[in-house]
Amino acid sequence: MMSDEWTESGQDDQSALVPKDATQHQESARASFASSVFNIMHAIMGSGILGLAYAMSSTGIIGFSLLLLFVAVTAAYSVHLLLVLCEQTALTTYEDLGFCAFKITGKVMVAGAILIQNIGAMSSYLFVIKSELPAAIAGFLHNSYNGTPWYLNGQILLLITVIFVVLPLALLPKIEFLGYTSGLSILFMVYFTIVVVVKKWFVPCPLSNGTVNYFQNFSSECKPKLLQISSKSAYAIPTMAFSFLCHTSVLPIYCELKRPSKSRMQKAVNIGMTLSFLIYMLSALFGYLTFYANVNSQLLHSYSQYLPRDPVIMSVRICILFSVLLTVPLIHFPARKSFMLLFCSSCPFSWLCHILVTLVIQTVIVLLAIYVPNIQNIFGVVGSTTSTALLFIYPGLFYLQISRESLKSSRKLKALGLIILGILIGAVSLLVIIITWLHNEN
């Protein structure tokens, strides 16, 4: 998940407000309805798509479908509440709505959640680099190795990539040009989904013994589960919440929309979420039907192990890696903005502070990518905490506080339901995840 705000953090948040008497130049720079849908999909779709097949394996096809539909509908409604508040208050950022609701406390709540959410997103992307870049290099080599040479070591390659590619881009004061290039990430996600659907018919079940040692113990059972509940199911909704979070980008996209209106923006959100839902559903379904219970928590890794030199899989891997390299610096900008708001809000822009904050954030996400053993842990923890807060809890909480409607009105009752739902989902999922960790360690 990523924000469309790519300028540096030293500016006043109120500068994002669009005056009613906008100039002709500003009007001509506004985004079309189609491009707004594209931007929403861009904000929604990210590394979460790689973990949804695993979520389906832990909940079953029917269970997953119902949960994914529920999260998508709920996400669309929480965006509706934010748009209503935006119309009532003329505020255009999530942080400003937090300030309007609970003053500095509300703004800090939102900034902290966005910071943690973006750190989790960047860590998941770097985890993909760590696991897929060695496979991408090995796919072009045909030698056998006794051990792992340095150029196939995921941690070394991750450090090289961050130091020489990600960090220089993240240090730039402005990064607008990457905003256009990284729009290719949606096309890569669509291409990834098409390959997942097609490859389902070329991968045998059970997987052939001897292809890769990892799959020699693959279960002979090739029947999909329709409904399943286990400790792994606790990762499902957090992963879905992580995958559908676009709320920090919706309001800036709203400001750029031609002929902006709440109903027009809501329609764009609904279309963007529906298309994202279809892409998510297809990739998860056919990824699960390819590997069944043995699907990896990072779907592409399953293909990497079973089809290490398949040219189509190699092309998908390269596309995903290219998308990651462009997206991580973009996500870094709103993360740094939130960090500055939390810890250096009164400080003017300085290159020293800019560089130090960048290095701190980069160090944290690299350490997480190196030492977190499973990408599902990132989806689970971040999804059950900040994702549920930004998607469920904060929209409902801010609406209850800001809106002047009666407490018994339909919207306020639904807002209260969102708050309760978010707290329950987050608390139960996080508790089960922690218990699972403790159980596995014992």
Side-chain angles (χ1 to χ4, degrees):
M1 300 305 140
M2 53 177 278
S3 172
D4 285 352
E5 297 175 9
W6 300 318
T7 56
E8 195 44 74
S9 59
Q11 300 175 357
D12 185 355
D13 290 336
Q14 295 294 336
S15 64
L17 295 176
V18 178
K20 295 180 180 180
D21 56 343
T23 65
Q24 186 65 32
H25 173 74
Q26 288 173 318
E27 288 294 333
S28 65
R30 286 186 180 275
S32 66
F33 181 84
S35 64
S36 295
V37 172
F38 180 87
N39 288 335
I40 290 167
M41 292 181 65
H42 190 195
I44 292 173
M45 301 185 68
S47 58
I49 194 173
L50 301 176
L52 290 176
Y54 181 84
M56 180 176 283
S57 72
S58 62
T59 55
I61 294 177
I62 295 178
F64 175 88
S65 302
L66 294 175
L67 288 175
L68 189 68
L69 180 62
F70 169 77
V71 173
V73 171
T74 307
Y77 185 75
S78 62
V79 168
H80 168 73
L81 293 182
L82 291 179
L83 292 176
V84 172
L85 292 179
C86 179
E87 190 177 51
Q88 292 178 357
T89 63
L91 299 175
T92 57
T93 69
Y94 211 148
E95 295 94 333
D96 286 340
L97 288 178
F99 181 82
C100 182
F102 299 105
K103 303 305 178 185
I104 294 298
T105 301
K107 199 165 190 175
V108 169
M109 286 166 50
V110 174
I114 291 175
L115 176 61
I116 297 173
Q117 172 72 27
N118 287 336
I119 286 176
M122 288 187 288
S123 299
S124 68
Y125 280 119
L126 293 189
F127 191 97
V128 173
I129 292 177
K130 184 185 74 171
S131 62
E132 293 304 322
L133 186 54
I137 295 175
F140 292 99
L141 304 176
H142 299 281
N143 300 327
S144 57
Y145 307 99
N146 295 322
T148 303
W150 70 266
Y151 51 86
L152 295 180
N153 186 300
Q155 295 184 4
I156 294 176
L157 291 177
L158 173 62
L159 290 174
I160 293 174
T161 303
V162 169
I163 292 173
F164 292 102
V165 180
V166 176
L167 184 58
L169 293 175
L171 283 170
L172 294 174
K174 293 185 179 182
I175 200 167
E176 287 93 337
F177 73 96
L178 275 182
Y180 300 100
T181 310
S182 64
L184 292 172
S185 61
I186 294 181
L187 298 179
F188 294 154
M189 296 299 174
V190 173
Y191 178 52
F192 169 79
T193 302
I194 293 173
V195 171
V196 170
V197 173
V198 172
K199 283 298 179 181
K200 159 62 181 111
W201 313 109
F202 292 90
V203 177
C205 183
L207 297 176
S208 302
N209 288 335
T211 305
V212 176
N213 290 335
Y214 177 83
F215 289 102
Q216 286 183 355
N217 296 323
F218 188 84
S219 172
S220 61
E221 183 181 356
C222 296
K223 294 182 180 179
K225 304 287 187 182
L226 296 180
L227 190 62
Q228 181 171 300
I229 299 177
S230 67
S231 59
K232 293 181 180 179
S233 303
Y235 291 91
I237 291 185
T239 301
M240 295 173 191
F242 187 96
S243 302
F244 269 105
L245 187 66
C246 62
H247 296 52
T248 58
S249 299
V250 164
L251 298 185
I253 294 173
Y254 181 28
C255 293
E256 298 171 0
L257 180 65
K258 282 184 180 178
R259 302 189 306 277
S261 69
K262 183 171 63 66
S263 60
R264 186 171 163 82
M265 185 61 192
Q266 187 67 57
K267 183 178 179 181
V269 170
N270 293 342
I271 294 174
M273 286 197 172
T274 299
L275 293 175
S276 300
F277 173 86
L278 293 175
I279 294 173
Y280 280 162
M281 190 67 203
L282 285 173
S283 63
L285 177 62
F286 284 89
Y288 170 60
L289 293 178
T290 302
F291 299 101
Y292 296 93
N294 284 274
V295 65
N296 196 279
S297 61
Q298 200 266 75
L299 178 58
L300 195 57
H301 196 50
S302 299
Y303 292 101
S304 300
Q305 291 177 305
Y306 180 65
L307 301 169
R309 291 186 174 87
D310 182 271
V312 177
I313 297 298
M314 288 172 62
S315 67
V316 171
R317 189 182 298 127
I318 292 172
C319 287
I320 295 296
L321 287 171
F322 181 71
S323 174
V324 165
L325 289 177
L326 292 175
T327 304
V328 171
L330 276 177
I331 303 177
H332 185 94
F333 274 68
R336 182 169 55 217
K337 176 184 175 182
S338 297
F339 187 98
M340 298 290 290
L341 190 151
L342 287 171
F343 302 106
C344 311
S345 59
S346 59
C347 300
F349 175 79
S350 70
W351 275 105
L352 178 61
C353 186
H354 177 89
I355 294 172
L356 289 177
V357 171
T358 301
L359 291 175
V360 168
I361 295 176
Q362 288 293 325
T363 301
V364 171
I365 63 176
V366 167
L367 290 175
L368 286 173
I370 289 177
Y371 291 107
V372 172
N374 193 306
I375 197 173
Q376 201 64 28
N377 292 332
I378 299 175
F379 294 152
V381 173
V382 177
S384 61
T385 53
T386 57
S387 295
T388 55
L390 292 168
L391 194 152
F392 298 108
I393 300 173
Y394 290 173
L397 193 61
F398 295 167
Y399 191 84
L400 287 180
Q401 182 69 15
I402 297 173
S403 177
R404 297 179 180 178
E405 295 178 11
S406 168
L407 289 175
K408 296 181 180 180
S409 66
S410 174
R411 279 182 184 163
K412 283 211 168 181
L413 290 177
K414 291 176 182 177
L416 180 61
L418 273 181
I419 298 171
I420 297 173
L421 184 66
I423 293 174
L424 288 177
I425 290 175
V428 172
S429 298
L430 186 60
L431 180 62
V432 175
I433 289 170
I434 293 174
I435 292 174
T436 302
W437 289 349
L438 296 176
H439 177 74
N440 290 339
E441 287 197 6
N442 292 334

